[in-house]
């Protein structure tokens, strides 16, 4: 008991407290966003509340477990190889046999719980690439683009399998993790800056062009998302309906909202109100101030994670932090972009808030990694015994 209490005291409050607060807000808002429509459809108003509460409790338990484990376990070659093989099989399985949701085959249904391998891939890429890139530094080997070929190839296989589901959001987030961790390793900084600026330039300039190309040459659910992105109001009665109703929800809420539980858009007008578009419901019910509060909490976690990564002496631990920070920041950016129309809708959830078991478990494990690194740093520097 004393050992457990000592470990709890060693947890970084700038990570742990925002994380717990976001989980609590998420449980409340998942219930608020889902109860009404569930009753309309003859379901239980507390169904999603119970599930999300279970996910949150499991998530916290996993975060604490990862925070207290020996990081050397995650660096064991057999563990990493086994993790990769299991993940590879899962990604192949979902493409062939997986349950299709919103046009993408990305889920494995196990009872009331749906496993999304693309989410698990985010955690794997963080721990795998951190180990691979730190390996050269620890052996004092000269790092080069050629040596980065093997881990990048492993990542490319996973990214390809995620892309063909198709899961464009999952592909983009996992891709961002790979790029940032690659840049955070011992690569020559000039090459790193060139790669980063080129990637950003292609994203900014190419996204509208890609959207128009996809709409002109392809068909299907994923294409409809690009159609809605280009001009949602011209397709208000079709593919643009979801984004237009998101705009209405955000506009209705104003600064302080219409009150918890009083959203109009969640009553059948806005699809996915408790998952992808939960931020729009929060904006409508609790206002822009609550949205800002949530985003500040996420920003605190991201900034603190980066700060810890900068301070630690180990490149491996630093890369873990950079990977987790990228994971949370990019996922938040994609969700906000989809809800606001700044980006095509990609089906990306809002971290710690949206309904979902896979997302909550993987995000919590990622938080556990950062708490673990922070705890080791404090202990190594005698900050807290």
């Amino acid at each position: 008991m004393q050992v457990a209490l000592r470990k709890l005291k060693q947890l970084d409050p700038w990570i742990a407290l925002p994380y717990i607060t976001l989980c609590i807000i998420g449980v409340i808002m998942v219930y608020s966003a889902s109860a009404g429509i569930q009753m309309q459809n003859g379901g239980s108003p507390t169904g999603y509340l119970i599930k999300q509460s279970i996910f949150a409790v499991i998530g916290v338990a996993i975060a604490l477990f990862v925070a207290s484990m020996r990081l050397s376990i995650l660096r064991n070659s057999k563990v990493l190889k086994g993790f990769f093989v299991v993940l590879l099989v899962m990604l192949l399985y979902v493409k062939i046999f997986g349950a299709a949701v919103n046009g993408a085959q990305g889920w494995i249904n196990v009872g009331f719980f749906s496993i999304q391998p693309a989410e698990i891939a985010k955690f794997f890429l963080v721990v795998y690439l951190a180990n691979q890139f730190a390996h050269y530094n620890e052996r004092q080997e000269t790092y080069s683009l050629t040596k980065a070929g093997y881990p990048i190839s492993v990542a490319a296989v996973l990214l390809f399998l995620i892309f063909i589901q198709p899961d464009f959001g999952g592909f983009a987030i996992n891709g961002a993790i790979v790029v940032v961790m690659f840049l955070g390793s011992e690569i020559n900084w000039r090459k790193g800056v060139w790669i980063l600026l080129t990637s950003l330039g292609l994203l900014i300039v190419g996204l509208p062009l890609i959207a128009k190309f996809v709409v002109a040459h392809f068909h299907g659910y994923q294409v409809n998302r690009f159609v809605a992105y280009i001009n949602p109001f011209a397709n208000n009665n079709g593919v643009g309906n979801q984004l237009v109703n998101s705009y209405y929800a955000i506009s209705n809420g104003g600064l302080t909202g219409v009150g918890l539980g009083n959203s109009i858009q969640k009553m059948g007008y806005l699809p996915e109100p408790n998952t992808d578009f939960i931020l729009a419901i929060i904006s409508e019910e609790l206002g822009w101030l609550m949205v800002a509060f949530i985003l500040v909490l996420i920003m605190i976690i991201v900034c603190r994670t980066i700060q810890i990564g900068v301070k630690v002496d180990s490149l491996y631990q630093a890369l873990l932090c950079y990977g987790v920070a990228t994971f949370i920041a990019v996922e938040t950016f994609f969700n906000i972009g989809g809800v606001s129309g700044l980006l095509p809708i990609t089906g990306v959830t809002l971290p710690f808030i949206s309904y979902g078991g896979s997302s909550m478990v993987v995000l919590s494990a990622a938080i556990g990694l950062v708490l673990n690194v922070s705890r080791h740093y404090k202990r190594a520097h005698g900050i807290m015994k």
Side-chain angles (χ1 to χ4, degrees), residues 302-338:
V302 172
C303 291
R304 181 61 172 173
T305 299
I306 295 172
Q307 183 185 41
I308 294 170
V310 171
K311 291 194 300 183
V312 296
D313 303 319
S314 163
L315 178 60
Y316 172 70
Q317 294 179 10
L319 288 174
L320 287 179
C321 291
Y322 299 153
V324 172
T326 303
F327 170 11
I328 297 173
V330 175
E331 187 161 305
T332 302
F333 174 72
F334 269 77
N335 182 267
I336 295 172

Side-chain angles (χ1 to χ4, degrees), residues 279 295 331-343 348 350:
L279 190 64
L295 296 183
E331 187 161 305
T332 302
F333 174 72
F334 269 77
N335 182 267
I336 295 172
V339 169
S340 62
L342 295 176
L343 296 172
V348 173
L350 183 63

